[in-house]
């Protein structure tokens, strides 16, 4: 992928942290304070995905920018909202991280450095390359390995953590995802596979994940897990059929 | 599959009630003109059902169904499934548009709040402004 002509890519001031939040009143203040204390000099925007608790007022107390969705649209659609906001306001990079405090902001710097030094388009904060501070449930781990291998077969690239919600993306990658109908629920391995097949450069940086602080997990009930697996297999298949490791497509997608 | 006069009257009555109901919904603006086409068409099919019976018999013969009404049911079920599929597609489109609207709304609200804050700050700095 070519460099952005505007040269915005190298301006660290134009990085924004996008944080989707749904009913996170108990942990969001702490998560935000944690980021602020890192003095990264990045802007932060919380996407309040129709929370029914006091998430919005907790965010306002921190003095952080907020995008209030009028109803709950789902994680992917909340991320998409943050992407739209970032593009509209001319940001050159987007950091995606969870509101529950799982993702430690101290790794943002090393992720940004990795992007700078090797000209990557997307950096994933990888749980498998770092120390895992909590035990991943066995079934979940099995799923992660399964999808990692599917992505590996599809793209011939071994991304260890294809389901991480801790990501750094450049403007080009964000714009591509916005044009491609970002999945409204559970965007993870299918998005990574799509980015790789189109020719974006994706890499990983090891991060330590903390156990969830409070609140509900994204993947909880059996029904949801079943739907997740079904949806992911289907959309990976769709990605594979659409972008059959086709080099020709790489030239078409240039922003 | 012959239908007697009684059955025909019954079908016509159903079709008329059905058509009137659709018309009422249209009048009350509960139904888009676009969607009435389909439902009026269905009313017409109900009325013409007796006329269609030789055709159904022929279709049954050609497709190897021993019992002609089966053909009628299969055709009707397929049409209904197609209508439902059409609605699923419509629903997906509406969901996408809905998401986009909600997202844009959130972004606009954020912008308005920022502008409002700026305006307030401006007026608080200018005495008597």
């Amino acid at each position: 992928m070519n460099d952005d002509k505007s040269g915005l890519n190298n301006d660290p001031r134009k990085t924004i942290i996008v944080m989707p939040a749904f009913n996170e009143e108990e942990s969001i203040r702490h998560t935000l304070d944690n980021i602020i204390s890192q003095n990264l000099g990045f802007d932060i925007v919380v996407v309040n995905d129709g929370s029914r608790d006091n998430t919005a007022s907790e965010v306002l107390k921190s003095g952080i920018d907020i995008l209030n969705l009028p109803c709950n649209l789902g994680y992917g659609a909340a991320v998409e909202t943050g992407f739209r906001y970032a593009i509209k306001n001319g940001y050159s990079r987007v950091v995606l991280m969870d509101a529950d405090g799982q993702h430690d902001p101290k790794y943002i710097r090393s992720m940004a450095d990795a992007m700078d030094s090797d000209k990557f388009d997307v950096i994933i904060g990888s749980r498998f390359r770092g120390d895992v501070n909590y035990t991943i449930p066995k079934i979940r781990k099995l799923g992660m390995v399964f999808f990692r291998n599917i992505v590996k077969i599809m793209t011939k690239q071994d991304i260890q953590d294809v389901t991480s919600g801790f990501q750094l993306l450049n403007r080009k990658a964000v714009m591509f995802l916005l044009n491609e109908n970002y999945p409204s629920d559970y965007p993870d391995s299918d998005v990574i596979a799509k980015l790789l097949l189109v020719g974006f450069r994706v890499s990983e940086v090891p991060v330590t994940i903390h156990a969830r602080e409070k609140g509900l997990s994204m993947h909880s009930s059996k029904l949801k897990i079943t739907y997740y697996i079904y949806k992911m297999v289907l959309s990976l298949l769709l990605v594979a059929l659409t972008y059959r490791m086709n080099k020709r497509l790489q030239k078409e997608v240039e922003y | 599959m012959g239908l007697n006069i009684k059955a025909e009257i019954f079908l016509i009555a159903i079709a008329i009630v059905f058509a009137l109901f659709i018309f009422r919904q249209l009048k009350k603006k509960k139904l888009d003109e676009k969607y009435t086409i389909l439902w009026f068409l269905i009313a017409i099919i109900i009325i013409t059902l007796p006329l269609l019976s030789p055709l159904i018999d022929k279709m049954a013969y050609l497709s190897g169904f021993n019992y002609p009404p089966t053909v009628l049911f299969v055709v009707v079920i397929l049409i209904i499934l197609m209508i439902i599929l059409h609605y699923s597609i419509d629903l997906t489109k509406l969901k996408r548009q809905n998401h986009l609207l909600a997202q844009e709304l959130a972004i606009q609200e954020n912008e308005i709040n920022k502008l409002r804050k700026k305006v307030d700050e401006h007026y608080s700095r200018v005495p008597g402004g």
Side-chain angles (χ1 to χ4, degrees), chain B residues 82-97:
Chain B
M82 270 161 61
I83 293 169
I84 296 173
L85 179 67
H86 171 78
Y87 284 145
S88 285
I89 294 167
D90 254 18
L91 212 62
T92 307
K93 195 174 129 197
L94 279 174
K95 191 185 133 195
R96 292 236 169 89
Q97 290 171 341

Side-chain angles (χ1 to χ4, degrees), chain A residues 17 30-42 44 97 103-110 166 210:
Chain A
I17 298 169
H30 183 245
T31 309
L32 289 172
D33 289 344
N34 217 348
I35 299 172
I36 294 164
S37 70
Q38 293 283 321
N39 272 322
L40 292 160
F42 298 158
I44 308 171
M97 61 193 291
H103 301 141
D104 196 327
K106 74 178 180 197
Y107 295 105
I108 296 174
R109 183 60 73 195
S110 56
F166 195 9
H210 300 296

Side-chain angles (χ1 to χ4, degrees), chain A residues 95-97 101-112 114 123-134 136 144 160-161 163-168 203-211:
Chain A
V95 178
L96 208 57
M97 61 193 291
Q102 271 197 83
H103 301 141
D104 196 327
K106 74 178 180 197
Y107 295 105
I108 296 174
R109 183 60 73 195
S110 56
M111 286 162 82
I123 303 286
I124 299 167
S126 172
R127 289 166 283 191
F128 290 139
R129 294 206 188 262
D131 314 308
V132 177
N133 210 3
Y134 78 117
I136 303 168
M144 287 156 107
Q160 301 224 350
D161 195 350
T163 56
S164 175
F166 195 9
Q167 299 174 356
L168 170 66
S203 183
E204 290 175 287
V205 158
V207 299
T208 305
I209 299 288
H210 300 296

Side-chain angles (χ1 to χ4, degrees), chain A:
Chain A
M1 288 281 135
N2 293 326
D3 257 346
D4 202 335
K5 284 176 200 89
S6 56
L8 285 167
N9 267 351
N10 302 318
D11 188 355
R13 282 168 300 173
K14 289 301 264 180
T15 298
I16 187 163
I17 298 169
V18 169
M19 185 180 285
F22 175 59
N23 292 345
E24 296 280 4
E25 62 175 5
E26 287 175 71
S27 46
I28 195 147
R29 271 300 280 289
H30 183 245
T31 309
L32 289 172
D33 289 344
N34 217 348
I35 299 172
I36 294 164
S37 70
Q38 293 283 321
N39 272 322
L40 292 160
F42 298 158
D43 291 343
I44 308 171
V45 68
V46 172
V47 185
N48 176 24
D49 189 12
S51 297
R52 285 179 278 273
D53 63 359
N54 295 317
T55 302
S57 57
E58 288 296 310
V59 173
L60 285 176
K61 275 185 218 160
S62 316
I64 296 294
D65 229 359
I66 190 165
L67 299 171
N68 282 308
L69 288 169
C71 49
N72 183 249
L73 299 186
Y75 175 78
V79 170
E80 196 179 39
T81 313
F83 282 175
R84 283 190 205 288
Y85 178 83
I87 295 301
K88 208 170 181 181
N89 290 287
Y91 288 97
S92 51
R93 285 177 182 180
V94 174
V95 178
L96 208 57
M97 61 193 291
D98 287 356
D100 56 15
Q102 271 197 83
H103 301 141
D104 196 327
K106 74 178 180 197
Y107 295 105
I108 296 174
R109 183 60 73 195
S110 56
M111 286 162 82
D113 287 345
M115 186 177 270
D116 285 336
S117 55
D118 297 301
K119 297 249 187 283
F120 284 111
D121 299 296
V122 178
I123 303 286
I124 299 167
S126 172
R127 289 166 283 191
F128 290 139
R129 294 206 188 262
D131 314 308
V132 177
N133 210 3
Y134 78 117
T135 44
I136 303 168
K138 264 197 189 123
I139 291 183
R140 189 147 174 210
K141 193 161 185 175
L142 198 74
M144 287 156 107
V145 172
F146 174 68
F147 287 115
R148 168 190 156 196
N149 281 302
I150 292 186
V151 173
K152 195 174 163 186
I153 292 164
M154 277 169 67
T155 67
K156 313 252 190 302
Q157 287 189 66
D158 193 9
I159 300 294
Q160 301 224 350
D161 195 350
V162 287
T163 56
S164 175
F166 195 9
Q167 299 174 356
L168 170 66
L169 305 102
N170 68 8
R171 190 179 169 89
K172 222 181 332 176
V174 170
M175 281 179 73
F176 169 73
L177 292 176
L178 276 180
N179 283 333
E180 281 288 303
N181 258 332
Y182 198 70
S184 65
D185 49 4
Y186 313 127
D188 40 59
S189 38
D190 51 344
V191 173
I192 301 296
K194 197 187 272 186
L195 285 167
L196 284 168
L197 286 179
V198 172
F200 282 101
R201 300 194 64 213
V202 181
S203 183
E204 290 175 287
V205 158
V207 299
T208 305
I209 299 288
H210 300 296
R212 285 184 57 88
E213 298 197 332
K214 278 148 201 154
L216 275 159
S217 170
M218 290 295 287
H219 312 285
S220 32
S221 75
K222 281 204 175 74
L223 196 72
K224 273 187 185 167
I225 292 169
T226 313
Y227 169 69
Y228 169 82
I229 295 168
Y230 163 78
K231 192 242 138 158
M232 207 44 74
V233 169
L234 188 68
S235 63
L236 279 168
L237 189 73
L238 198 70
V239 170
L241 288 174
T242 318
Y243 303 96
R244 273 174 302 178
M245 285 149 260
N246 198 337
K247 298 286 170 202
R248 182 171 46 86
L249 259 165
Q250 294 181 16
K251 288 193 186 91
E252 286 172 23
V253 189
E254 273 178 19
Y255 292 99

